[in-house]
Amino acid sequence: MASGMQEKQYTPSLLSFFIYNPTFGPREGEEEKKILFYHPSDVEKNEKIRNVGLCEAIVQFTRTFCPTKPAKSLHTQKNRQFFFEPENNFWVVMVVRNPMIEKLNKDGKTQTIEYQEEEMLDTVYGAVVRQCYSMYKLFNGTFARAMEAGGVELLMQKLEKFFYKYLQTLHLQSSDLLDVFGGISFFPLDKMTYLKIQSFVNRVEESLSLIKYTAFLYNDQLIWSGLEQDDMRILYKYLTTSLFPRHTEPELAGRDSPLRPEVTGNLLHYGRFLTGPLNLKDPEAKFRFPKIFVSAEDGYEELHLIVYKAMSAAACFMISGKSILFLICSSTLVGPQLTLLASDICEQFTVNRRISGPEKEPQFKFIYFNHMNLAEKSTIHMRKTASVCLTSVHPDLMKILGDINCDFARVDEDEEIIVKAMTDYWVVGKKSDQRELYVILNQKNANLIEVNEEVKRLCATQFNNIFFLD
Protein backbone atom coordinates (compact mmCIF):
# COMPACT_ATOMS: atom_id res chain seq x y z
CA MET A 1 0.00 0.00 0.00
CA ALA A 2 1.62 3.25 -1.10
CA SER A 3 1.84 5.79 1.68
CA GLY A 4 0.17 9.12 1.04
CA MET A 5 -1.66 7.73 -1.97
CA GLN A 6 -4.95 6.91 -0.31
CA GLU A 7 -7.07 9.89 0.69
CA LYS A 8 -10.77 10.66 0.81
CA GLN A 9 -12.29 14.06 0.18
CA TYR A 10 -15.52 15.14 1.91
CA THR A 11 -17.62 18.03 0.62
CA PRO A 12 -19.51 20.52 2.87
CA SER A 13 -22.53 18.93 4.57
CA LEU A 14 -25.40 20.12 6.75
CA LEU A 15 -24.83 19.41 10.45
CA SER A 16 -27.83 21.24 11.90
CA PHE A 17 -30.48 23.81 11.06
CA PHE A 18 -32.62 25.52 13.67
CA ILE A 19 -34.95 28.46 14.22
CA TYR A 20 -35.40 30.17 17.59
CA ASN A 21 -36.83 33.28 19.23
CA PRO A 22 -34.96 34.44 22.38
CA THR A 23 -38.03 36.25 23.75
CA PHE A 24 -40.08 33.04 24.08
CA GLY A 25 -38.08 31.60 27.00
CA PRO A 26 -36.67 34.55 28.95
CA ARG A 27 -36.44 32.83 32.36
CA GLU A 28 -34.15 30.07 33.56
CA GLY A 29 -35.67 26.63 33.01
CA GLU A 30 -37.74 27.83 30.02
CA GLU A 31 -34.92 27.70 27.45
CA GLU A 32 -36.61 24.97 25.42
CA LYS A 33 -39.50 27.32 24.61
CA LYS A 34 -37.16 29.42 22.47
CA ILE A 35 -36.64 26.57 20.00
CA LEU A 36 -39.25 26.60 17.22
CA PHE A 37 -37.60 24.07 14.89
CA TYR A 38 -34.49 21.91 15.16
CA HIS A 39 -32.91 19.58 12.61
CA PRO A 40 -31.91 16.83 13.18
CA SER A 41 -34.84 16.23 15.52
CA ASP A 42 -33.24 13.30 17.38
CA VAL A 43 -30.63 15.53 19.05
CA GLU A 44 -30.84 15.44 22.86
CA LYS A 45 -32.83 18.30 24.42
CA ASN A 46 -29.90 19.66 26.47
CA GLU A 47 -27.66 19.78 23.41
CA LYS A 48 -30.33 21.72 21.47
CA ILE A 49 -30.60 24.22 24.34
CA ARG A 50 -26.81 24.50 24.58
CA ASN A 51 -26.39 25.14 20.83
CA VAL A 52 -29.15 27.76 20.74
CA GLY A 53 -27.72 29.43 23.87
CA LEU A 54 -24.29 29.64 22.21
CA CYS A 55 -25.81 31.34 19.15
CA GLU A 56 -27.65 33.82 21.39
CA ALA A 57 -24.39 34.65 23.18
CA ILE A 58 -22.49 35.17 19.90
CA VAL A 59 -25.20 37.48 18.52
CA GLN A 60 -25.35 39.53 21.74
CA PHE A 61 -21.56 39.76 21.98
CA THR A 62 -21.17 41.05 18.41
CA ARG A 63 -23.97 43.56 18.98
CA THR A 64 -21.79 45.35 21.52
CA PHE A 65 -19.48 46.33 18.64
CA CYS A 66 -22.19 47.16 16.09
CA PRO A 67 -25.80 47.14 17.37
CA THR A 68 -27.32 47.37 13.87
CA LYS A 69 -25.17 44.59 12.33
CA PRO A 70 -24.98 41.44 14.48
CA ALA A 71 -22.93 38.37 13.55
CA LYS A 72 -23.54 36.75 10.18
CA SER A 73 -21.17 33.78 10.55
CA LEU A 74 -18.83 32.05 12.98
CA HIS A 75 -15.73 30.21 11.70
CA THR A 76 -14.28 27.22 13.57
CA GLN A 77 -11.86 24.51 12.51
CA LYS A 78 -14.52 21.84 11.95
CA ASN A 79 -17.61 23.80 10.94
CA ARG A 80 -19.12 27.15 10.12
CA GLN A 81 -22.32 28.67 11.53
CA PHE A 82 -24.50 31.12 9.61
CA PHE A 83 -26.97 33.47 11.34
CA PHE A 84 -29.91 35.25 9.75
CA GLU A 85 -32.64 37.37 11.38
CA PRO A 86 -35.41 37.56 8.71
CA GLU A 87 -37.98 38.98 11.13
CA ASN A 88 -37.60 40.78 14.43
CA ASN A 89 -36.28 38.32 17.10
CA PHE A 90 -36.67 35.29 14.83
CA TRP A 91 -33.27 33.73 14.11
CA VAL A 92 -32.44 31.11 11.47
CA VAL A 93 -29.15 29.27 12.03
CA MET A 94 -27.41 26.81 9.69
CA VAL A 95 -24.34 24.83 10.77
CA VAL A 96 -22.23 23.37 7.95
CA ARG A 97 -19.33 20.95 8.34
CA ASN A 98 -16.22 22.24 6.58
CA PRO A 99 -14.91 20.25 3.61
CA MET A 100 -12.13 17.89 4.70
CA ILE A 101 -9.52 15.45 3.46
CA GLU A 102 -8.95 12.14 5.23
CA LYS A 103 -5.39 10.91 4.72
CA LEU A 104 -3.76 7.60 5.62
CA ASN A 105 -0.54 7.98 7.61
CA LYS A 106 2.76 6.30 6.72
CA ASP A 107 2.01 3.34 8.98
CA GLY A 108 -0.97 2.58 6.75
CA LYS A 109 -3.34 2.26 9.73
CA THR A 110 -4.00 5.60 11.42
CA GLN A 111 -5.77 8.45 9.65
CA THR A 112 -5.30 12.20 9.72
CA ILE A 113 -8.13 14.65 8.98
CA GLU A 114 -7.37 18.02 7.42
CA TYR A 115 -10.22 20.55 7.53
CA GLN A 116 -10.25 22.95 4.57
CA GLU A 117 -11.67 25.97 6.38
CA GLU A 118 -10.86 28.48 3.65
CA GLU A 119 -12.66 26.57 0.88
CA MET A 120 -16.09 27.80 2.00
CA LEU A 121 -17.43 31.25 1.17
CA ASP A 122 -19.71 33.09 3.61
CA THR A 123 -21.51 34.84 0.76
CA VAL A 124 -22.56 31.52 -0.84
CA TYR A 125 -23.89 29.77 2.26
CA GLY A 126 -25.34 32.96 3.72
CA ALA A 127 -27.37 33.18 0.49
CA VAL A 128 -28.52 29.56 0.98
CA VAL A 129 -29.91 30.44 4.45
CA ARG A 130 -31.79 33.42 3.01
CA GLN A 131 -33.19 31.18 0.24
CA CYS A 132 -34.50 28.77 2.90
CA TYR A 133 -36.50 31.57 4.53
CA SER A 134 -37.69 33.02 1.20
CA MET A 135 -38.95 29.62 0.06
CA TYR A 136 -40.80 29.14 3.37
CA LYS A 137 -42.34 32.60 3.08
CA LEU A 138 -43.48 31.93 -0.51
CA PHE A 139 -45.62 28.99 0.58
CA ASN A 140 -46.51 29.93 4.19
CA GLY A 141 -46.21 33.67 4.59
CA THR A 142 -44.17 35.27 7.37
CA PHE A 143 -43.45 33.80 10.82
CA ALA A 144 -45.48 36.67 12.30
CA ARG A 145 -48.51 35.70 10.17
CA ALA A 146 -48.53 32.17 11.62
CA MET A 147 -48.20 33.62 15.13
CA GLU A 148 -51.22 35.86 14.55
CA ALA A 149 -53.28 32.99 13.14
CA GLY A 150 -52.53 30.30 15.73
CA GLY A 151 -49.71 31.25 18.08
CA VAL A 152 -46.45 29.40 18.66
CA GLU A 153 -48.05 25.94 18.15
CA LEU A 154 -49.20 26.73 14.61
CA LEU A 155 -45.83 28.27 13.70
CA MET A 156 -43.97 25.18 14.96
CA GLN A 157 -46.29 22.91 12.95
CA LYS A 158 -45.72 24.91 9.76
CA LEU A 159 -41.94 24.99 10.27
CA GLU A 160 -41.81 21.24 10.88
CA LYS A 161 -43.97 20.43 7.86
CA PHE A 162 -42.04 22.67 5.47
CA PHE A 163 -38.42 22.28 6.55
CA TYR A 164 -38.60 18.51 7.12
CA LYS A 165 -38.98 18.13 3.34
CA TYR A 166 -37.10 21.20 2.15
CA LEU A 167 -33.84 20.48 3.99
CA GLN A 168 -33.64 17.13 2.18
CA THR A 169 -33.34 19.06 -1.11
CA LEU A 170 -30.35 21.11 0.13
CA HIS A 171 -27.17 19.89 -1.58
CA LEU A 172 -24.55 22.19 -0.14
CA GLN A 173 -21.73 20.69 -2.21
CA SER A 174 -23.42 22.20 -5.29
CA SER A 175 -23.77 25.71 -3.90
CA ASP A 176 -21.78 28.39 -5.71
CA LEU A 177 -21.89 31.93 -7.15
CA LEU A 178 -25.33 31.39 -8.75
CA ASP A 179 -26.83 31.02 -5.26
CA VAL A 180 -25.41 34.45 -4.34
CA PHE A 181 -27.04 36.02 -7.39
CA GLY A 182 -30.35 34.12 -7.24
CA GLY A 183 -30.90 35.29 -10.80
CA ILE A 184 -33.32 34.38 -13.58
CA SER A 185 -32.37 32.94 -16.95
CA PHE A 186 -34.35 34.70 -19.70
CA PHE A 187 -35.24 33.13 -23.04
CA PRO A 188 -34.25 35.38 -26.01
CA LEU A 189 -37.10 35.92 -28.48
CA ASP A 190 -37.75 37.98 -31.60
CA LYS A 191 -40.32 40.78 -31.27
CA MET A 192 -43.09 39.03 -33.20
CA THR A 193 -43.05 35.85 -31.09
CA TYR A 194 -42.82 37.92 -27.90
CA LEU A 195 -45.92 39.89 -28.97
CA LYS A 196 -47.77 36.60 -29.56
CA ILE A 197 -47.00 35.54 -25.99
CA GLN A 198 -48.03 38.93 -24.62
CA SER A 199 -51.27 38.71 -26.57
CA PHE A 200 -51.86 35.17 -25.25
CA VAL A 201 -51.35 36.32 -21.64
CA ASN A 202 -53.71 39.30 -22.12
CA ARG A 203 -56.46 37.14 -23.68
CA VAL A 204 -56.29 34.51 -20.94
CA GLU A 205 -56.32 37.09 -18.14
CA GLU A 206 -59.35 38.83 -19.71
CA SER A 207 -61.23 35.55 -20.17
CA LEU A 208 -60.47 34.14 -16.70
CA SER A 209 -61.02 36.90 -14.15
CA LEU A 210 -59.64 34.83 -11.24
CA ILE A 211 -56.10 35.29 -12.58
CA LYS A 212 -54.13 37.97 -10.72
CA TYR A 213 -50.65 37.32 -12.18
CA THR A 214 -49.16 35.23 -14.97
CA ALA A 215 -45.66 33.95 -15.73
CA PHE A 216 -44.61 32.28 -18.99
CA LEU A 217 -41.54 30.04 -19.30
CA TYR A 218 -39.92 28.01 -22.06
CA ASN A 219 -37.17 25.44 -21.52
CA ASP A 220 -36.89 26.52 -17.87
CA GLN A 221 -36.22 30.10 -18.98
CA LEU A 222 -38.49 33.05 -18.26
CA ILE A 223 -40.17 34.98 -21.09
CA TRP A 224 -42.97 36.92 -19.36
CA SER A 225 -43.84 37.74 -15.75
CA GLY A 226 -46.40 39.98 -14.06
CA LEU A 227 -44.93 39.41 -10.58
CA GLU A 228 -42.63 41.64 -8.56
CA GLN A 229 -38.94 40.80 -9.14
CA ASP A 230 -38.24 39.34 -5.68
CA ASP A 231 -41.35 37.14 -5.80
CA MET A 232 -40.52 35.94 -9.32
CA ARG A 233 -36.92 35.15 -8.39
CA ILE A 234 -37.95 32.71 -5.63
CA LEU A 235 -40.88 31.28 -7.62
CA TYR A 236 -38.50 30.75 -10.55
CA LYS A 237 -36.13 28.79 -8.30
CA TYR A 238 -39.01 26.59 -7.10
CA LEU A 239 -40.27 25.92 -10.64
CA THR A 240 -36.89 25.14 -12.21
CA THR A 241 -35.30 23.14 -9.38
CA SER A 242 -38.32 21.38 -7.88
CA LEU A 243 -41.61 21.35 -9.81
CA PHE A 244 -40.44 20.96 -13.44
CA PRO A 245 -37.82 18.24 -12.78
CA ARG A 246 -40.49 16.10 -11.08
CA HIS A 247 -42.56 15.89 -14.28
CA THR A 248 -41.60 14.19 -17.50
CA GLU A 249 -42.79 15.48 -20.87
CA PRO A 250 -46.27 14.11 -21.71
CA GLU A 251 -45.38 13.49 -25.35
CA LEU A 252 -42.81 10.97 -24.16
CA ALA A 253 -45.38 9.09 -22.09
CA GLY A 254 -46.98 5.85 -23.26
CA ARG A 255 -50.36 5.61 -24.94
CA ASP A 256 -52.08 4.40 -21.77
CA SER A 257 -50.39 6.93 -19.53
CA PRO A 258 -52.55 9.52 -17.74
CA LEU A 259 -50.06 12.10 -19.08
CA ARG A 260 -50.91 11.50 -22.74
CA PRO A 261 -52.18 14.42 -24.86
CA GLU A 262 -55.75 15.63 -24.37
CA VAL A 263 -58.10 15.96 -27.33
CA THR A 264 -60.36 18.99 -27.43
CA GLY A 265 -62.75 18.86 -30.38
CA ASN A 266 -60.62 18.21 -33.44
CA LEU A 267 -57.52 19.85 -31.99
CA LEU A 268 -54.81 17.71 -30.47
CA HIS A 269 -52.71 19.39 -27.81
CA TYR A 270 -50.09 18.32 -25.29
CA GLY A 271 -51.28 20.42 -22.37
CA ARG A 272 -51.55 19.20 -18.81
CA PHE A 273 -51.59 20.57 -15.28
CA LEU A 274 -48.47 20.20 -13.17
CA THR A 275 -50.45 21.42 -10.16
CA GLY A 276 -54.03 20.13 -10.11
CA PRO A 277 -55.79 16.84 -10.95
CA LEU A 278 -54.49 14.33 -13.47
CA ASN A 279 -57.98 13.79 -14.86
CA LEU A 280 -60.46 16.68 -15.09
CA LYS A 281 -63.30 14.30 -16.05
CA ASP A 282 -63.16 12.54 -12.68
CA PRO A 283 -65.09 14.66 -10.13
CA GLU A 284 -63.67 12.55 -7.29
CA ALA A 285 -60.06 13.13 -8.34
CA LYS A 286 -57.96 14.80 -5.68
CA PHE A 287 -56.10 17.90 -6.77
CA ARG A 288 -53.64 20.18 -5.05
CA PHE A 289 -53.44 23.93 -5.48
CA PRO A 290 -50.20 25.12 -3.85
CA LYS A 291 -50.87 28.26 -1.84
CA ILE A 292 -48.36 31.08 -2.32
CA PHE A 293 -47.88 34.51 -0.75
CA VAL A 294 -46.75 37.37 -2.98
CA SER A 295 -46.07 41.06 -2.35
CA ALA A 296 -48.98 43.50 -2.45
CA GLU A 297 -49.46 47.17 -1.60
CA ASP A 298 -50.83 46.40 1.87
CA GLY A 299 -48.35 43.61 2.68
CA TYR A 300 -48.97 40.35 0.87
CA GLU A 301 -51.59 38.49 -1.18
CA GLU A 302 -52.62 34.89 -0.63
CA LEU A 303 -53.04 33.17 -4.02
CA HIS A 304 -53.11 29.69 -5.52
CA LEU A 305 -50.55 28.53 -8.08
CA ILE A 306 -51.75 26.76 -11.23
CA VAL A 307 -49.04 25.54 -13.61
CA TYR A 308 -50.06 24.34 -17.07
CA LYS A 309 -47.45 22.90 -19.41
CA ALA A 310 -47.49 22.07 -23.12
CA MET A 311 -44.31 20.57 -24.57
CA SER A 312 -41.50 22.86 -23.32
CA ALA A 313 -43.74 25.88 -22.62
CA ALA A 314 -45.27 26.48 -19.19
CA ALA A 315 -47.90 29.03 -18.17
CA CYS A 316 -48.11 29.79 -14.43
CA PHE A 317 -51.35 31.37 -13.23
CA MET A 318 -51.69 32.86 -9.76
CA ILE A 319 -55.40 32.92 -8.97
CA SER A 320 -57.46 34.39 -6.13
CA GLY A 321 -59.66 31.38 -5.56
CA LYS A 322 -59.88 27.62 -5.78
CA SER A 323 -62.20 26.35 -8.49
CA ILE A 324 -62.42 23.15 -10.53
CA LEU A 325 -64.42 25.21 -13.06
CA PHE A 326 -61.36 27.42 -13.52
CA LEU A 327 -59.29 24.33 -14.31
CA ILE A 328 -61.79 23.07 -16.90
CA CYS A 329 -62.05 26.48 -18.59
CA SER A 330 -58.30 27.09 -18.56
CA SER A 331 -57.58 23.61 -19.97
CA THR A 332 -59.92 24.25 -22.89
CA LEU A 333 -58.73 27.80 -23.47
CA VAL A 334 -55.01 27.52 -22.69
CA GLY A 335 -54.09 24.04 -23.93
CA PRO A 336 -54.38 24.47 -27.72
CA GLN A 337 -52.93 28.02 -27.72
CA LEU A 338 -50.00 27.04 -25.53
CA THR A 339 -49.19 24.08 -27.78
CA LEU A 340 -49.12 26.36 -30.85
CA LEU A 341 -46.94 28.92 -29.05
CA ALA A 342 -44.51 26.21 -27.92
CA SER A 343 -44.28 25.03 -31.52
CA ASP A 344 -43.59 28.60 -32.76
CA ILE A 345 -40.88 29.19 -30.15
CA CYS A 346 -39.25 25.85 -30.90
CA GLU A 347 -39.25 26.61 -34.64
CA GLN A 348 -37.64 30.01 -34.09
CA PHE A 349 -35.07 28.53 -31.70
CA THR A 350 -34.12 25.89 -34.30
CA VAL A 351 -33.79 28.50 -37.07
CA ASN A 352 -31.58 30.70 -34.88
CA ARG A 353 -29.29 27.80 -34.06
CA ARG A 354 -29.03 26.89 -37.75
CA ILE A 355 -28.12 30.51 -38.66
CA SER A 356 -25.50 30.75 -35.91
CA GLY A 357 -23.84 27.57 -37.19
CA PRO A 358 -22.47 24.56 -35.31
CA GLU A 359 -21.37 25.23 -31.75
CA LYS A 360 -17.64 25.02 -31.20
CA GLU A 361 -15.99 24.56 -27.84
CA PRO A 362 -15.07 28.16 -26.93
CA GLN A 363 -11.77 29.04 -25.29
CA PHE A 364 -13.69 30.90 -22.60
CA LYS A 365 -16.57 30.26 -20.22
CA PHE A 366 -18.50 32.98 -18.42
CA ILE A 367 -21.15 33.92 -15.86
CA TYR A 368 -23.11 37.16 -16.35
CA PHE A 369 -25.51 38.80 -13.89
CA ASN A 370 -27.51 42.03 -14.04
CA HIS A 371 -28.61 43.38 -10.64
CA MET A 372 -31.32 45.56 -12.20
CA ASN A 373 -33.46 42.89 -13.88
CA LEU A 374 -31.91 39.78 -12.22
CA ALA A 375 -30.90 38.43 -15.66
CA GLU A 376 -28.43 35.60 -15.35
CA LYS A 377 -26.48 33.66 -17.97
CA SER A 378 -23.88 30.94 -17.46
CA THR A 379 -21.89 28.77 -19.86
CA ILE A 380 -20.09 27.24 -16.88
CA HIS A 381 -23.14 25.43 -15.51
CA MET A 382 -24.25 22.56 -17.71
CA ARG A 383 -27.21 21.70 -15.49
CA LYS A 384 -28.40 23.04 -12.15
CA THR A 385 -31.30 21.59 -10.16
CA ALA A 386 -31.98 21.25 -6.45
CA SER A 387 -30.18 17.89 -6.39
CA VAL A 388 -27.26 18.39 -8.74
CA CYS A 389 -25.06 21.12 -10.13
CA LEU A 390 -22.81 20.08 -12.98
CA THR A 391 -20.13 22.62 -13.77
CA SER A 392 -17.59 22.38 -16.56
CA VAL A 393 -14.74 23.93 -14.55
CA HIS A 394 -12.71 22.86 -11.52
CA PRO A 395 -14.05 23.81 -8.03
CA ASP A 396 -10.88 25.84 -7.40
CA LEU A 397 -11.86 28.16 -10.27
CA MET A 398 -15.39 28.51 -8.87
CA LYS A 399 -13.81 29.52 -5.54
CA ILE A 400 -11.80 32.25 -7.32
CA LEU A 401 -15.02 33.55 -8.92
CA GLY A 402 -16.60 33.71 -5.46
CA ASP A 403 -13.58 35.58 -4.06
CA ILE A 404 -13.76 38.15 -6.87
CA ASN A 405 -17.49 38.60 -6.19
CA CYS A 406 -16.71 39.28 -2.50
CA ASP A 407 -14.23 41.97 -3.55
CA PHE A 408 -16.86 43.56 -5.82
CA ALA A 409 -19.39 43.60 -2.95
CA ARG A 410 -17.05 45.68 -0.76
CA VAL A 411 -16.98 48.71 -3.06
CA ASP A 412 -19.58 50.66 -5.03
CA GLU A 413 -17.26 51.71 -7.85
CA ASP A 414 -16.89 49.87 -11.16
CA GLU A 415 -13.77 47.75 -11.31
CA GLU A 416 -11.97 44.91 -13.05
CA ILE A 417 -9.92 42.08 -11.53
CA ILE A 418 -7.66 39.69 -13.46
CA VAL A 419 -6.24 36.56 -11.77
CA LYS A 420 -3.78 33.92 -13.02
CA ALA A 421 -4.78 30.60 -11.44
CA MET A 422 -2.29 27.91 -10.36
CA THR A 423 -3.67 25.70 -13.15
CA ASP A 424 -2.61 28.32 -15.76
CA TYR A 425 -6.19 29.46 -16.36
CA TRP A 426 -6.93 33.18 -16.48
CA VAL A 427 -9.94 34.45 -14.50
CA VAL A 428 -11.37 37.90 -15.22
CA GLY A 429 -14.07 39.74 -13.31
CA LYS A 430 -15.71 42.96 -14.57
CA LYS A 431 -18.18 45.05 -12.58
CA SER A 432 -19.84 47.86 -14.49
CA ASP A 433 -23.09 49.76 -13.99
CA GLN A 434 -24.92 47.14 -11.85
CA ARG A 435 -23.68 44.32 -14.10
CA GLU A 436 -21.10 41.66 -13.32
CA LEU A 437 -19.21 39.46 -15.77
CA TYR A 438 -16.87 36.61 -14.82
CA VAL A 439 -14.76 34.97 -17.52
CA ILE A 440 -12.51 31.88 -17.36
CA LEU A 441 -9.94 31.68 -20.18
CA ASN A 442 -8.00 28.56 -21.09
CA GLN A 443 -4.94 30.26 -22.59
CA LYS A 444 -1.79 29.19 -20.77
CA ASN A 445 0.71 31.28 -22.71
CA ALA A 446 -1.34 34.48 -22.95
CA ASN A 447 -0.22 37.70 -21.31
CA LEU A 448 -2.33 40.41 -19.64
CA ILE A 449 -2.78 42.41 -22.84
CA GLU A 450 -3.94 39.34 -24.81
CA VAL A 451 -6.32 38.32 -22.02
CA ASN A 452 -7.82 41.83 -21.96
CA GLU A 453 -8.30 41.76 -25.74
CA GLU A 454 -9.98 38.35 -25.53
CA VAL A 455 -12.44 39.61 -22.92
CA LYS A 456 -13.22 42.66 -25.09
CA ARG A 457 -13.89 40.29 -28.00
CA LEU A 458 -16.23 38.22 -25.80
CA CYS A 459 -18.13 41.36 -24.75
CA ALA A 460 -18.48 42.40 -28.40
CA THR A 461 -19.88 39.03 -29.52
CA GLN A 462 -21.96 37.89 -26.53
CA PHE A 463 -22.97 41.26 -25.06
CA ASN A 464 -23.00 43.60 -28.06
CA ASN A 465 -26.04 45.51 -26.75
CA ILE A 466 -24.60 45.94 -23.24
CA PHE A 467 -22.20 48.75 -22.45
CA PHE A 468 -19.28 47.68 -20.26
CA LEU A 469 -17.03 50.48 -19.06
CA ASP A 470 -13.32 49.94 -19.80
Side-chain angles (χ1 to χ4, degrees), residues 169-181:
T169 70
L170 281 188
H171 295 267
L172 299 179
Q173 74 278 6
S174 297
S175 300
D176 58 31
L177 190 57
L178 291 193
D179 289 289
V180 178
F181 293 146

Side-chain angles (χ1 to χ4, degrees), residues 345-470:
I345 298 168
C346 180
E347 188 178 330
Q348 189 215 318
F349 181 64
T350 307
V351 168
N352 288 347
R353 289 190 66 173
R354 195 161 54 240
I355 292 170
S356 61
E359 288 185 14
K360 296 175 183 176
E361 182 66 24
Q363 286 190 302
F364 51 77
K365 296 181 185 294
F366 67 86
I367 294 176
Y368 165 78
F369 180 67
N370 185 334
H371 288 270
M372 290 177 283
N373 63 358
L374 306 182
E376 176 183 272
K377 188 176 182 181
S378 171
T379 59
I380 289 173
H381 297 78
M382 295 178 283
R383 185 157 61 102
K384 187 169 177 71
T385 67
S387 60
V388 67
C389 177
L390 297 175
T391 56
S392 55
V393 300
H394 194 272
D396 287 348
L397 294 172
M398 293 303 296
K399 169 73 166 49
I400 292 173
L401 296 185
D403 287 334
I404 293 174
N405 173 257
C406 290
D407 288 337
F408 286 165
R410 291 191 188 103
V411 292
D412 294 328
E413 293 82 18
D414 296 339
E415 64 176 307
E416 181 173 10
I417 298 174
I418 301 179
V419 178
K420 179 74 179 289
M422 296 289 285
T423 51
D424 285 332
Y425 281 87
W426 286 91
V427 182
V428 181
K430 286 174 76 75
K431 179 186 177 186
S432 174
D433 193 27
Q434 294 291 305
R435 299 178 177 91
E436 294 181 31
L437 176 66
Y438 302 84
V439 185
I440 296 174
L441 292 158
N442 182 15
Q443 294 185 348
K444 294 182 181 178
N445 300 320
N447 57 38
L448 267 175
I449 296 172
E450 290 168 338
V451 168
N452 201 35
E453 288 301 317
E454 193 65 39
V455 172
K456 281 184 180 178
R457 197 154 40 245
L458 164 66
C459 291
T461 54
Q462 296 285 338
F463 305 102
N464 59 347
N465 57 340
I466 295 172
F467 176 63
F468 279 106
L469 297 173
D470 289 319

Side-chain angles (χ1 to χ4, degrees), residues 117-131:
E117 303 167 50
E118 300 307 313
E119 294 303 305
M120 289 178 61
L121 289 170
D122 282 359
T123 50
V124 171
Y125 294 96
V128 171
V129 178
R130 293 193 296 274
Q131 282 173 9

Side-chain angles (χ1 to χ4, degrees), residues 126-139:
V128 171
V129 178
R130 293 193 296 274
Q131 282 173 9
C132 289
Y133 172 73
S134 296
M135 198 66 78
Y136 169 87
K137 192 172 77 165
L138 177 70
F139 292 104

Side-chain angles (χ1 to χ4, degrees), residues 276-394:
L278 283 176
N279 186 0
L280 287 173
K281 295 173 184 174
D282 181 6
E284 300 299 317
K286 292 183 179 178
F287 54 93
R288 192 173 67 90
F289 290 89
K291 191 187 294 180
I292 63 171
F293 294 81
V294 300
S295 303
E297 290 180 6
D298 55 346
Y300 57 84
E301 277 184 286
E302 186 177 328
L303 303 170
H304 288 92
L305 177 66
I306 308 296
V307 181
Y308 194 91
K309 194 167 186 183
M311 297 192 285
S312 294
C316 308
F317 304 113
M318 283 133 271
I319 66 169
S320 57
K322 195 172 179 180
S323 165
I324 189 70
L325 182 62
F326 172 87
L327 291 173
I328 294 168
C329 293
S330 60
S331 175
T332 308
L333 177 68
V334 174
Q337 294 184 47
L338 197 59
T339 302
L340 291 173
L341 279 173
S343 179
D344 286 348
I345 298 168
C346 180
E347 188 178 330
Q348 189 215 318
F349 181 64
T350 307
V351 168
N352 288 347
R353 289 190 66 173
R354 195 161 54 240
I355 292 170
S356 61
E359 288 185 14
K360 296 175 183 176
E361 182 66 24
Q363 286 190 302
F364 51 77
K365 296 181 185 294
F366 67 86
I367 294 176
Y368 165 78
F369 180 67
N370 185 334
H371 288 270
M372 290 177 283
N373 63 358
L374 306 182
E376 176 183 272
K377 188 176 182 181
S378 171
T379 59
I380 289 173
H381 297 78
M382 295 178 283
R383 185 157 61 102
K384 187 169 177 71
T385 67
S387 60
V388 67
C389 177
L390 297 175
T391 56
S392 55
V393 300
H394 194 272

